[in-house]
Amino acid sequence: MSTSRTSTPQTAGAGARSTLTRARVLAEAVALADSEGLGALTMRSLARELGIEAMSLYHHVASKEDLLDGVAEVVVREILDAVGALEPAPEDTPPAEWKHALRRRILTARSVLLRHPWAPSVLETRTGFSPYVVRYHDALVALLHRGGLSYDLVHHAMHALGSRALGFSQELFDPGGPGGDPAAAPEPDDEDLLARLTDEAPHIVAMLAEVAHVEPDSTLGWCDDQAEFEFGLDLILDGLERLAARGSR
Amino acid sequence: MSTSRTSTPQTAGAGARSTLTRARVLAEAVALADSEGLGALTMRSLARELGIEAMSLYHHVASKEDLLDGVAEVVVREILDAVGALEPAPEDTPPAEWKHALRRRILTARSVLLRHPWAPSVLETRTGFSPYVVRYHDALVALLHRGGLSYDLVHHAMHALGSRALGFSQELFDPGGPGGDPAAAPEPDDEDLLARLTDEAPHIVAMLAEVAHVEPDSTLGWCDDQAEFEFGLDLILDGLERLAARGSR
DNA sequence: ACCTGAACACCGTTCAAGT
DNA sequence: ACCTGAACACCGTTCAAGT
């Protein structure tokens, strides 16, 4: 479902739209993935949404792969905008506050990704050096180095953060999380699943019984993604801080 | 390329193989992904490899999705076998050594995944609760809890580890890493790339110039995946240890 | 220059039919 | 019961042709 049909004025009958640009193609692709999921983003469906024939897309995009590159770029640019709007500006933050500044940037990036739950799986598969991704990471490197961390430690830090630097993490048991396809999220189907888990994973069940906010037999109680993300992030940031204090490692 | 054609005796002419089982289908799927990459694993190519018609696969596998579930299961079972062979056995390790025991298990899991570079991208997309994945994580939970960590801290720990618990991590700039498709790994194309990066990412370039073992203008010098994985893992494990010492948090 | 229709070489999968 | 061939509904993409 989309309002693209009527969102811009056009000459009466034919399907010709104002003028197609790469930017409009990418924006529509993002909108389509937002509303229908990444699986629904095909060259044909995207063209339909734009009131155009599939083959016309190839005038603005070299291939499906290039389309996904562009889509990733749009999302990361959105992150850069959000992060750039932070106060105080990164250059004005006292170097010693690198940890809080980094934390804030990463959580801001995450808040953008929460609006595009499909984005992590696209970002994961981009192998090239997208200019905006590089620029984002370069700013993080600058922040850490200005904070007094040696380049050696900064390098380790970037690896340790991994995709967390962009605000998402790999949660193997979190089908509803930022990386998951909403359509693929299974109904917890509590009764059977819990019985199975009690057999196969008694310790996990015991853990969840103690930890989960809800009773484990009512729903399985998906965990608080945001809180767990921050826990893991802080674990890493605190560790880095400790290493930095220990004489730039 | 595969030796499956002659790997088992068979009656002279026809394509009928000993007898097809789900296990044999899955084993061949893993072998195919190992040798040709995940992209080359299609129902048709797998059938061809087995000397069979594509539709016959549906007698042993409900769908492609089910095939991938099974393939993931094979890999995780391989991890469980490798981890089970560790000495001393997990139940016999002194509880206080939970950190080293956990570290060893995770690095063992990683060594298995290094033999199946495509496996992380399959594991990432499994949304169900695979019995073997659950069992593996249950053992980790038991290890941590026996080590004296509260279930609350163990729960945070599992989230913080994320996919790292199974031995892989999300490296956005590591196309050749465990998560990458070898076919998609780009030639570093040093000249242009470095020029571009010097513009877009001066701090990253400065960092790499200081850190990389090789000169940055000869090759970009991909980082030491194993060392960086261990750095990040230890950062998390040390942090957990500190929290545990601080009175089970 | 931009857009199109028909066609190609793939997918996963259904279905009725063979043994 | 297990396996098959033809066919269906999709993909991304090529190509020659339209304006």
Side-chain angles (χ1 to χ4, degrees), chain B residues 189-213:
Chain B
D189 204 334
D190 308 329
E191 214 60 28
D192 296 351
L193 184 54
L194 194 75
R196 255 194 51 204
L197 286 184
T198 310
D199 269 14
E200 292 165 2
H203 303 93
I204 289 178
V205 169
M207 175 183 76
L208 289 179
E210 201 173 302
V211 166
H213 297 178

Side-chain angles (χ1 to χ4, degrees), chain A residues 38-39 41-43 58 61-70 126:
Chain A
L38 192 58
L41 176 57
T42 70
M43 299 302 270
Y58 286 86
V61 133
S63 62
K64 173 87 185 264
E65 209 53 19
D66 183 43
L67 173 72
L68 291 177
D69 283 347
R126 300 307 91 197

Side-chain angles (χ1 to χ4, degrees), chain A residues 59-125:
Chain A
H59 260 266
H60 304 95
V61 133
S63 62
K64 173 87 185 264
E65 209 53 19
D66 183 43
L67 173 72
L68 291 177
D69 283 347
V71 157
E73 214 174 274
V74 168
V75 171
V76 176
R77 195 157 38 185
E78 207 176 313
I79 288 178
L80 279 172
D81 285 350
V83 151
L86 290 180
E87 301 293 347
E91 297 79 19
D92 300 337
T93 55
E97 289 180 19
W98 63 266
K99 195 175 80 165
H100 289 97
L102 182 58
R103 188 177 198 276
R104 202 163 356 127
R105 286 174 94 86
I106 290 178
L107 292 180
T108 300
R110 178 177 179 79
S111 73
V112 172
L113 288 185
L114 290 179
R115 299 201 297 263
H116 308 295
W118 46 269
S121 51
V122 173
L123 290 169
E124 276 171 24
T125 56

Side-chain angles (χ1 to χ4, degrees), chain B residues 93-100 146-148 241:
Chain B
T93 54
E97 288 180 22
W98 63 266
K99 195 175 82 166
H100 289 97
R146 224 185 288 123
E241 185 177 44

Side-chain angles (χ1 to χ4, degrees), chain B residues 41-215:
Chain B
L41 175 57
T42 71
M43 298 303 270
R44 284 169 161 91
S45 69
L46 176 58
R48 195 182 316 121
E49 214 67 27
L50 288 161
I52 227 173
E53 222 65 16
M55 307 315 132
S56 310
L57 289 172
Y58 285 86
H59 260 267
H60 304 94
V61 134
S63 62
K64 174 89 184 266
E65 207 55 18
D66 183 43
L67 174 74
L68 292 177
D69 283 347
V71 156
E73 214 173 275
V74 168
V75 171
V76 176
R77 197 157 36 187
E78 206 176 313
I79 289 178
L80 279 172
D81 285 350
V83 151
L86 289 180
E87 301 293 349
E91 297 80 20
D92 301 336
T93 54
E97 288 180 22
W98 63 266
K99 195 175 82 166
H100 289 97
L102 181 60
R103 187 177 199 275
R104 203 165 354 128
R105 287 174 94 85
I106 290 178
L107 291 180
T108 300
R110 179 178 177 80
S111 73
V112 172
L113 288 186
L114 291 179
R115 299 202 296 265
H116 308 293
W118 46 269
S121 51
V122 173
L123 289 169
E124 275 172 25
T125 57
R126 299 306 91 196
T127 59
F129 289 80
S130 147
Y132 295 101
V133 174
V134 165
R135 194 173 308 171
Y136 175 81
H137 283 82
D138 195 66
L140 299 192
V141 167
L143 189 68
L144 288 169
H145 192 56
R146 224 185 288 123
L149 280 69
S150 72
Y151 270 141
D152 189 47
L153 184 53
V154 173
H155 180 241
H156 286 314
M158 297 308 291
H159 276 285
L161 286 169
S163 66
R164 239 181 274 250
L166 266 172
F168 65 99
S169 61
Q170 200 68 43
E171 297 266 9
L172 282 176
F173 292 105
D174 194 11
D181 185 349
E187 292 299 308
D189 204 334
D190 308 329
E191 214 60 28
D192 296 351
L193 184 54
L194 194 75
R196 255 194 51 204
L197 286 184
T198 310
D199 269 14
E200 292 165 2
H203 303 93
I204 289 178
V205 169
M207 175 183 76
L208 289 179
E210 201 173 302
V211 166
H213 297 178
V214 295
E215 298 300 304

